Amino acid sequence: IVPGFVDCHVHLPFVGWRADEFEARLAGASYRDLHGREGGIFRSSRMFREADDEEVLAFSTALADEMAATGTTAMELKTGYGLSVETELRQARLARRLADAVPQTCSVTLLACHAVPEGWVRQDWVLAACDELIPTAAAEGLADAVDIYVEDIAFSLEDLERVGAAASAAGLPL
């Protein structure tokens, strides 16, 4: 008997690969270089939005099955590729469906602030996440926790405080 692996940061459900970005990182490109509106989170968000639910679930289930076959017994499924209230909620709903379909123990974390969506000002997105996204996800039982990406290309410590307060008010840990 050996212990199972726990993957504490899986963006399942998602669809599409960014292996070329991994290769670019190995060749010396920084995450900041890739993070522009055409790469990184924004690329994953575009691929997610363009796929239908069944396509996303089929892609993600195959990955979860491969992970189970190699010893991953628990996963934290993270949203963060929605970049709109509606699409983040869609990703959380799909995460719940995925969690019910795979053999691993799964939790769902709402990565409410992963990147500033195109056309948004950072502070306005934080307000939308705090006032709409987090309370709706909590009310629908879609998330077990909330997360935020704090980095100079993403969100600030002040944003973290706001998101933490909204999560707490909704009864979710940060």
Side-chain angles (χ1 to χ4, degrees):
I1 297 177
V2 296
F5 296 115
V6 175
D7 195 326
C8 61
H9 190 117
V10 179
H11 279 287
L12 291 177
F14 76 97
V15 66
W17 295 110
R18 292 178 10 211
D20 59 320
E21 293 181 15
F22 182 71
E23 291 172 9
R25 293 284 309 272
L26 291 174
S30 71
Y31 187 72
R32 179 183 305 282
D33 295 337
L34 301 172
H35 183 69
R37 297 286 181 204
E38 297 300 319
I41 297 164
F42 299 103
R43 185 173 176 192
S44 290
S45 177
R46 180 181 43 76
M47 290 186 284
F48 181 76
R49 286 190 318 269
E50 291 172 354
D52 66 35
D53 288 359
E54 296 314 312
E55 186 179 1
V56 172
L57 286 173
F59 184 89
S60 299
T61 300
L63 291 174
D65 289 346
E66 183 178 333
M67 293 169 72
T70 57
T72 300
T73 60
M75 301 184 294
E76 177 193 27
L77 309 177
K78 281 188 187 269
T79 71
Y81 290 151
L83 300 185
S84 75
V85 170
E86 298 78 22
T87 312
E88 278 294 306
L89 292 171
R90 174 186 172 226
Q91 192 176 17
R93 288 182 188 108
L94 288 173
R96 284 288 187 221
R97 286 178 59 190
L98 181 65
D100 289 341
V102 299
Q104 293 95 333
T105 299
C106 297
S107 64
V108 177
T109 297
L110 184 72
L111 184 46
C113 293
H114 194 200
V116 179
E118 187 173 358
W120 283 79
V121 174
R122 181 182 52 79
Q123 296 89 337
D124 292 343
W125 175 247
V126 171
L127 285 175
C130 292
D131 293 347
E132 296 177 62
L133 178 55
I134 294 169
T136 302
E140 292 186 25
L142 298 177
D144 301 306
V146 175
D147 198 359
I148 176 175
Y149 178 43
V150 176
E151 180 66 57
D152 65 348
I153 60 172
F155 297 92
S156 70
L157 292 175
E158 293 79 19
D159 299 331
L160 171 63
E161 290 175 0
R162 288 184 194 101
V163 168
S168 180
L172 297 171
L174 183 65

